């Protein structure tokens, strides 16, 4: 199978160029420090024993104060990466960044291999892998250390690839199918968004592999292990149905879902984001772009062009995994949508390239190269800018705090006022405490002091007013 896979994936040199561009685009992130949620995981890994940390990570609806995310999200394998890395890497962010970037590169390669399996045309795999690699909108899903849960994507894509090879003949290859199920389980235990791959796997199997033979039991047989896996996952996540599947304070269905859904469709057009949204012509173009993918999907269905129709429909369906969020949404939430979208668009691009007159077709690679270079530059600029206004700004503030207070009394609380980075003040400054306690293990915590407020200091407490 491996030899056939490599043979169908040729030529491989464009993939090497795409991978090199990805590394260049994300290079600024490798030097960026820890930011926001990172400190929750670091502090928990340092303060809890391995047994305590593992128990907290694997407990659905947990109540561990040092690892509060276990209450709202069951992502035990993603949490465990910090328990593994923290004793080795400590406060050095580079190893953490390398793990996330490696996962992204694996997703790029797997997209290439899946595209080669779905369609023999080189254009399909080049376009699909290129978009997944350097699509600039979702950069935080790779550049931010807390996005280590993005490792769910390569495992989900590997599950899809194994399933494709397990079902490529009339006789199901059960070892490969078992591997596919295990890989999806690993993906879902990194991040629940991994489940968005399952409707695409099912849709492709029914429409393309089984050719709509829906009344024949063998058509459904390879899907039964996934149904069992989903049932087991729900049973664990709900603690035998004694807890809801999701915290309604975080994910809930309401009018905001469709507003979020449309916003996500607009964000697919990756203009550089600004707080408060885009103004001017960019905002107008984004708003007008929202119906494009749904209309393309409908057009493919009406034309009975099932491969791109299934992939685009799967991308649209995947948005429902994040649209119910009540904590806000942003471009990074599109990370699990981009691979099926890229594959669907790659089919359409390949179809259009075939319509280009032969004398002009030689210009297509040059145009693709220019687009690749431009997207790489855009990605690198966004990552560098984010490093400056996010992680670097927070590190500057922490450095100023340590410079003014090299040590603090045991049990002291740090009250932060003045020029506190805005990201540390959101949600009542919830990220402030872990960041400060990582610097001062003996501290009791930290409190954000809003402008005009006067904190009540106890003996030993620190008031830090950043300039």
């Amino acid at each position: 199978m491996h030899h056939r896979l490599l043979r169908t994936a040729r030529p491989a040199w464009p993939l090497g160029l795409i991978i090199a561009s990805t590394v260049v685009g994300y290079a600024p992130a490798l030097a960026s420090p820890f930011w926001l949620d990172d400190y929750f995981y670091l502090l928990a890994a340092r303060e809890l024993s391995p047994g305590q940390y593992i128990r907290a990570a694997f407990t659905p609806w947990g109540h561990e104060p040092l690892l509060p995310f276990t209450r709202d999200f069951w992502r035990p394998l993603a949490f465990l990466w910090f328990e593994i890395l923290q004793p080795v890497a400590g406060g050095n962010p580079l190893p953490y960044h390398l793990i996330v970037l490696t996962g992204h590169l694996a997703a790029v390669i797997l997209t290439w291999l899946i595209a080669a399996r779905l369609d023999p045309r080189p254009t399909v795999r080049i376009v699909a892998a290129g978009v997944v690699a350097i699509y600039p909108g979702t950069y935080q899903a790779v550049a931010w250390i807390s996005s280590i849960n993005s490792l769910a994507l390569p495992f989900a894509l590997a599950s899809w690839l194994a399933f494709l090879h397990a079902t490529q003949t009339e006789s199901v290859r059960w070892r490969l199918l078992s591997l596919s199920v295990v890989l999806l389980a690993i993906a879902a235990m990194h991040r629940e968004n991994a489940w968005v791959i399952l409707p695409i796997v099912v849709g492709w199997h029914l429409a393309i592999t089984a050719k709509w033979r829906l009344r024949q039991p063998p058509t459904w047989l390879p899907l039964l292990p996934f149904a069992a896996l989903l049932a087991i996952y729900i049973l664990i996540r709900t603690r035998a149905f004694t807890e809801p599947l999701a915290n309604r304070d975080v994910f809930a269905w309401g009018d905001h879902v469709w507003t979020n859904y449309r916003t996500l469709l607009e964000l697919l057009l990756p203009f550089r984001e600004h707080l408060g949204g885009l103004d001017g012509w960019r905002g107008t173009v984004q708003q007008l772009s929202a119906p494009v993918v749904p209309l393309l999907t409908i057009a493919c269905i009406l034309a009975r062009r099932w491969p791109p129709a299934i992939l685009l429909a799967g991308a649209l369906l995947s948005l429902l995994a994040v649209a119910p969020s009540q904590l806000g949404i942003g471009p990074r939430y599109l990370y699990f949508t981009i691979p099926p979208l890229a594959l669907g668009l790659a089919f359409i691009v390949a179809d259009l390239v075939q319509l280009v007159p032969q004398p002009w077709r030689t210009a297509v690679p040059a145009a693709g190269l220019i687009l690749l270079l431009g997207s790489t530059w855009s990605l690198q600029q966004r990552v560098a800018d984010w490093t400056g206004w996010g992680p670097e700004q927070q590190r500057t503030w922490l450095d100023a705090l340590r410079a003014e207070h090299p040590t603090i009394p045991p049990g002291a609380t740090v009250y932060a006022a003045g020029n506190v980075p805005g990201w540390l003040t959101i949600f009542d400054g919830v990220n402030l405490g872990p960041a400060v306690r990582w610097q001062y293990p003996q501290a009791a915590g930290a409190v954000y002091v809003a402008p005009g407020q006067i904190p009540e200091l106890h003996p030993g407490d620190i008031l830090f007013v950043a300039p």
Side-chain angles (χ1 to χ4, degrees):
M1 184 193 78
H2 301 294
H3 294 298
R4 288 198 303 272
L5 190 62
L6 292 174
R7 225 173 14 247
T8 57
R10 293 175 182 171
W13 67 264
L15 178 59
L17 182 60
I18 290 169
I19 290 174
S21 298
T22 307
V23 174
V24 171
Y26 281 105
L30 297 178
S32 67
F34 298 111
W35 188 52
L36 296 182
D37 295 356
D38 299 344
Y39 287 105
F40 275 101
Y41 302 115
L42 291 168
L43 185 64
R46 187 181 69 187
E47 300 297 321
L48 297 175
S49 69
Q52 291 174 323
Y53 191 98
I54 292 171
R55 183 166 57 252
F58 276 91
T59 301
W61 292 91
H63 295 277
E64 172 53 59
L66 287 174
L67 202 58
F69 302 116
T70 58
R71 171 159 179 78
D72 299 329
F73 306 101
W74 194 62
R75 302 170 179 175
L77 297 185
F79 298 155
L80 283 184
W81 279 105
F82 285 87
E83 175 64 15
I84 295 170
L85 289 172
Q86 190 275 326
V88 178
N92 180 7
L94 179 59
Y96 303 85
H97 281 300
L98 290 175
I99 292 291
V100 184
L101 180 58
T102 300
H104 182 63
L105 293 174
V108 173
I109 295 171
L110 286 162
T111 301
W112 175 279
L113 295 175
I114 288 171
R117 178 65 185 82
L118 301 184
D119 191 286
R121 294 173 293 180
T123 301
V124 175
R125 50 186 175 270
I126 292 172
V127 171
V131 171
V132 171
I134 57 173
Y135 174 77
T138 55
Y139 69 89
Q140 281 190 20
V142 181
W144 186 8
I145 287 172
S146 285
S147 293
I148 203 163
N149 53 51
S150 293
L151 291 175
L153 181 60
F155 283 108
L157 292 174
S159 172
W160 184 10
L161 183 63
F163 182 85
L164 288 170
H165 285 277
T167 57
Q168 64 184 351
T169 62
E170 291 293 332
S171 177
V172 176
R173 304 168 72 176
W174 287 101
R175 286 187 178 180
L176 276 177
L177 187 66
S178 300
L179 176 62
S180 177
V181 174
V182 170
L183 287 169
L184 184 57
I186 293 173
M189 293 170 73
H190 274 88
R191 189 181 175 107
E192 60 282 349
N193 298 66
W195 286 107
V196 302
I197 209 73
L198 190 56
I200 304 169
V201 169
V202 173
W204 190 274
H205 175 71
L206 297 179
I208 309 301
T209 304
K211 298 182 172 61
W212 298 111
R213 295 191 294 266
L214 305 184
R215 295 185 179 182
Q216 298 184 15
T219 297
W220 299 94
L221 193 58
L223 302 178
L224 293 181
F226 293 95
L229 177 64
L230 180 58
I232 293 170
Y233 179 87
I234 293 174
L235 190 66
I236 294 173
R237 181 69 184 96
T238 61
R239 295 179 119 179
F241 304 110
T242 61
E243 297 280 2
L245 192 60
N247 186 349
R248 293 179 182 176
D249 292 333
V250 178
F251 291 99
W253 291 90
D255 293 341
H256 72 284
V257 170
W258 309 113
T259 302
N260 286 352
Y261 193 92
R262 180 182 175 86
T263 301
L264 288 166
L265 286 175
E266 294 174 359
L267 291 175
L268 286 171
L269 190 62
F271 287 122
R272 186 169 300 191
E273 70 273 19
H274 298 279
L275 293 178
L278 292 175
D279 296 324
W281 68 270
R282 291 180 179 83
T284 302
V285 172
Q286 267 197 339
Q287 292 173 11
L288 293 174
S289 71
V292 170
V293 176
L295 290 176
L296 276 176
T297 307
I298 294 171
C300 290
I301 292 173
L302 293 177
R304 294 183 177 274
R305 188 76 172 93
W306 295 119
I310 291 165
L311 295 165
L312 294 178
L316 292 174
L317 187 62
S318 72
L319 297 179
L320 293 176
V322 292
S325 173
Q326 299 191 98
L327 301 181
I329 55 172
R332 67 185 175 92
Y333 288 92
L334 296 169
Y335 190 61
F336 289 79
T337 297
I338 295 304
L341 178 64
L343 286 162
L345 294 177
F347 270 87
I348 295 173
V349 171
D351 291 345
L352 294 176
V353 167
Q354 290 181 321
L355 299 177
V356 175
Q358 189 64 41
W360 296 356
R361 205 175 294 180
T362 55
V364 172
L369 181 60
I370 292 172
L371 187 59
L372 177 70
L373 295 176
S375 298
T376 302
W377 177 84
S378 175
L379 174 62
Q380 188 184 67
Q381 292 301 305
R382 293 192 194 202
V383 174
D385 287 350
W386 166 78
T387 297
W389 59 252
E392 287 290 353
Q393 188 183 58
Q394 180 172 322
R395 178 165 63 180
T396 299
W397 184 85
L398 289 170
D399 287 346
L401 172 62
R402 285 197 302 267
E404 186 168 324
H405 301 281
T407 61
I408 64 174
T413 297
V414 175
Y415 289 85
N419 190 24
V420 182
W423 293 107
L424 284 175
T425 68
I426 59 175
F427 302 124
D428 296 322
V430 67
N431 290 98
L432 193 61
V436 169
R437 288 193 60 196
W438 176 255
Q439 316 299 323
Y440 303 101
Q442 73 276 27
V447 176
Y448 169 61
V449 181
Q453 292 184 350
I454 300 176
E456 182 179 346
L457 300 181
H458 296 89
D461 288 346
I462 300 297
L463 176 62
F464 175 60
V465 182

